C-alpha cells in the first residue's frame, strides 16, 4: 500500500441525505418522480450522468447544465448543515502522520469539492484532489481513480480506495485497486460486495488491517 484515495460524499462528509433531498425536490418541480431504490442507483455517479438520464426519462425541457446549476446553488446554501463522518478525521490524521500520500476523488463538482475542503480544512491532508468535472466518464468507470493515482505518481495496484457506493466500488476494482466499502446508512442500500473489506465505522481500521489487504 503506497497511497489511499478517498471518495468524499458519504465517506468524508455525511452529505448523501442533503443531495437526495435536493435532487428529489428539483425533480418534482420538473415533473418527475423516482423511488428511493432508483435514486440510490445514482449515488456515486456525476450530476451530469444522473440528470441526463432523468431528463430523457421524464422528457424534461430544461437543459442539464441549468438543472445542475440549480442543484449546486441549493447545495451551497445548505452547506452549513453538513458534518464530517464520525472518526474520519482521526483516521486521516493517522495516515497523514505516517506519511502516506492521500488523494480525494469526488464525483461532485469542483466548486463544492473546494468549499468542503476549505470548510473542514482538509487541504493539508490531500496531495491530489480530483472532481467530477476533471474526468469525461463518471463512476462506475475507473477514470477518476486512475487519474488520481497518475497525479499522485503511484501505480494503481498500490492504491487503496475508500468508497460508500456500489458505483464507486465497481470503479475502484475496475481501476485495479484494493477497495474498502464504507457502509454508511445515509447512503441508502448499497451493494458493496465487490469490496475487499466492508466496514461500518472508521474505528474498525488500523494500519495493519490496511496493509493486510495487499498481502
Amino acid at each position: 500500500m503506497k497511497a489511499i484515495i478517498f471518495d468524499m460524499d458519504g465517506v468524508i462528509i455525511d452529505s448523501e441525505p442533503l443531495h437526495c433531498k435536493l435532487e428529489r425536490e428539483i425533480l418534482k418541480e420538473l415533473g418527475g418522480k423516482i423511488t428511493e431504490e432508483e435514486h440510490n442507483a445514482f449515488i456515486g455517479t456525476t450530476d451530469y450522468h444522473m440528470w441526463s438520464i432523468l431528463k430523457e426519462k421524464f422528457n424534461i425541457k430544461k437543459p442539464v447544465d441549468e438543472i445542475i446549476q440549480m442543484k449546486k446553488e441549493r447545495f451551497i446554501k445548505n452547506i452549513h448543515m453538513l458534518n464530517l463522518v464520525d472518526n474520519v478525521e482521526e483516521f486521516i490524521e493517522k495516515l497523514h502522520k505516517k506519511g502516506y500520500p492521500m488523494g480525494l476523488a469526488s464525483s461532485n463538482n469542483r466548486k463544492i469539492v473546494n468549499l468542503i475542503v476549505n470548510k473542514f480544512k482538509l487541504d493539508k491532508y490531500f496531495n491530489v484532489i480530483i472532481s467530477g468535472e476533471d474526468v469525461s466518464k463518471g463512476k462506475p468507470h475507473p477514470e477518476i481513480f486512475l487519474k488520481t493515482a497518475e497525479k499522485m505518481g503511484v501505480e494503481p495496484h498500490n492504491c487503496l480506495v475508500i468508497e460508500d457506493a456500489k458505483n464507486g466500488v465497481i470503479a475502484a476494482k475496475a481501476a485495479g485497486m484494493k477497495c474498502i466499502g464504507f457502509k454508511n446508512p445515509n447512503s441508502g442500500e448499497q451493494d458493496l460486495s465487490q469490496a475487499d473489506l466492508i466496514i461500518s465505522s472508521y474505528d474498525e481500521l488500523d494500519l495493519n488491517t490496511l496493509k493486510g489487504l495487499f498481502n
Side-chain angles (χ1 to χ4, degrees):
M1 180 180 76
K2 292 188 177 172
I4 301 94
I5 301 173
F6 289 78
D7 175 40
M8 187 179 79
D9 292 286
V11 170
I12 291 177
I13 52 162
D14 226 349
S15 53
E16 295 300 359
L18 178 58
H19 281 294
C20 291
K21 176 179 178 290
L22 296 177
E23 286 158 4
R24 286 191 180 200
E25 285 174 2
I26 290 169
L27 184 58
K28 189 177 177 184
E29 288 168 25
L30 297 171
K33 189 179 180 184
I34 52 175
T35 65
E36 186 178 348
E37 190 177 352
E38 287 172 311
H39 203 161
N40 286 345
F42 288 114
I43 290 177
T45 63
T46 62
D47 283 347
Y48 194 87
H49 173 81
M50 183 185 78
W51 287 112
S52 296
I53 290 172
L54 295 177
K55 177 180 167 67
E56 190 174 331
K57 180 174 181 175
F58 295 107
N59 196 24
I60 295 167
K61 300 290 185 280
K62 192 180 280 287
V64 169
D65 288 343
E66 285 186 27
I67 301 171
I68 291 171
Q69 188 59 33
M70 281 171 67
K71 157 84 187 301
K72 188 190 290 189
E73 287 169 5
R74 293 186 194 188
F75 190 88
I76 288 167
K77 277 184 187 170
N78 290 278
I79 215 161
H80 63 279
M81 296 169 58
L82 299 178
N83 294 304
L84 291 173
V85 168
D86 288 347
N87 304 313
V88 70
E89 190 165 15
E90 292 86 343
F91 175 65
I92 290 172
E93 180 74 36
K94 276 184 204 169
L95 296 172
H96 182 64
K97 282 181 176 171
K98 290 289 182 182
Y100 283 102
M102 286 181 278
L104 187 63
S106 172
S107 296
N108 216 320
N109 62 76
R110 173 58 66 178
K111 184 169 184 180
I112 287 175
V113 170
N114 287 346
L115 283 169
I116 294 295
V117 167
N118 292 335
K119 175 178 165 66
F120 295 106
K121 299 179 174 60
L122 300 173
D123 54 317
K124 61 182 177 285
Y125 299 122
F126 293 107
N127 305 65
V128 171
I129 297 173
I130 302 289
S131 77
E133 292 175 7
D134 299 319
V135 293
S136 57
K137 298 182 181 74
K139 303 168 190 174
H141 194 278
E143 183 186 2
I144 195 165
F145 292 129
L146 292 172
K147 187 165 188 175
T148 305
E150 183 186 356
K151 292 263 186 191
M152 296 170 85
V154 179
E155 291 292 325
H157 67 271
N158 288 322
C159 293
L160 169 68
V161 172
I162 303 182
E163 263 287 354
D164 69 315
K166 176 183 179 180
N167 290 312
V169 172
I170 293 170
K173 296 309 294 177
M177 300 178 181
K178 297 293 183 184
C179 184
I180 290 176
F182 176 60
K183 205 158 186 55
N184 187 331
N186 290 328
S187 298
E189 278 299 317
Q190 296 290 318
D191 177 8
L192 305 176
S193 58
Q194 288 190 43
D196 298 281
L197 174 68
I198 298 173
I199 62 164
S200 300
S201 166
Y202 284 100
D203 285 345
E204 297 172 45
L205 293 180
D206 57 36
L207 283 175
N208 288 333
T209 305
L210 303 189
K211 290 174 186 172
L213 296 174
F214 290 81
N215 293 338

